[in-house]
Every structure is written in structure tokens, then in C-alpha cells.
Amino acid sequence: MTTRIWTKRETQQTIKQLRQAGYNIAKVSGLYRILDDNLEIWNDEDGAALFTARPHSGRYIVRFSPALMG
């Protein structure tokens, strides 16, 4: 997993691009996450969410699988 701190604009652009690529991104308990076809949080083989964005002090803490963004 990779963790970054992004601006709101960077986060919104990434979420938009992921949606355009066909991913279902929804806000779950205050966090943006990718959902699978069963509307469950989509996790990688290690059990970590593929993508999570959490607002924090005007920015976002974003965690994602390198395979997702690579």
C-alpha cells in the first residue's frame, strides 16, 4: 500500500478518473472507497482496501494499491 497526502483537487481528479475507468467509488463511513459488484469494499489479496481517501485538515489522506495506479 502507498499512502499520500493530496489536495482536495488532486483527490477529486483521481476519483473522477477512477470512475471513468469503471470503478464504483462511494463514500462509506466518511471515507471514499472502491466497491465491488456486491457493494462491498474491494480489498486486495492482503485484505487492505484498494483505495481509501479520508478528509483531514483541508487535505486528504489517500491510501491505494500501487497496482491500481500503475
Side-chain angles (χ1 to χ4, degrees):
M1 288 308 253
T2 301
T3 303
R4 299 280 187 257
I5 296 178
W6 288 347
T7 65
K8 181 177 181 179
R9 182 181 197 116
E10 289 171 310
T11 305
Q12 288 175 334
Q13 288 175 338
T14 300
I15 289 172
K16 182 178 178 180
Q17 290 171 344
L18 288 169
R19 285 182 174 149
Q20 289 174 342
Y23 291 100
N24 179 13
I25 299 184
K27 201 168 193 178
V28 178
S29 300
L31 305 173
Y32 287 97
R33 296 183 181 240
I34 296 176
L35 303 180
D36 63 15
D37 293 336
N38 298 321
L39 301 180
E40 298 289 329
I41 296 169
W42 194 350
N43 297 321
D44 65 9
E45 59 277 354
D46 296 326
L50 284 179
F51 177 86
T52 302
R54 178 173 55 105
H56 180 72
S57 299
R59 295 186 177 261
Y60 282 79
I61 298 172
V62 181
R63 291 190 56 168
F64 58 89
S65 170
L68 180 65
M69 302 292 186

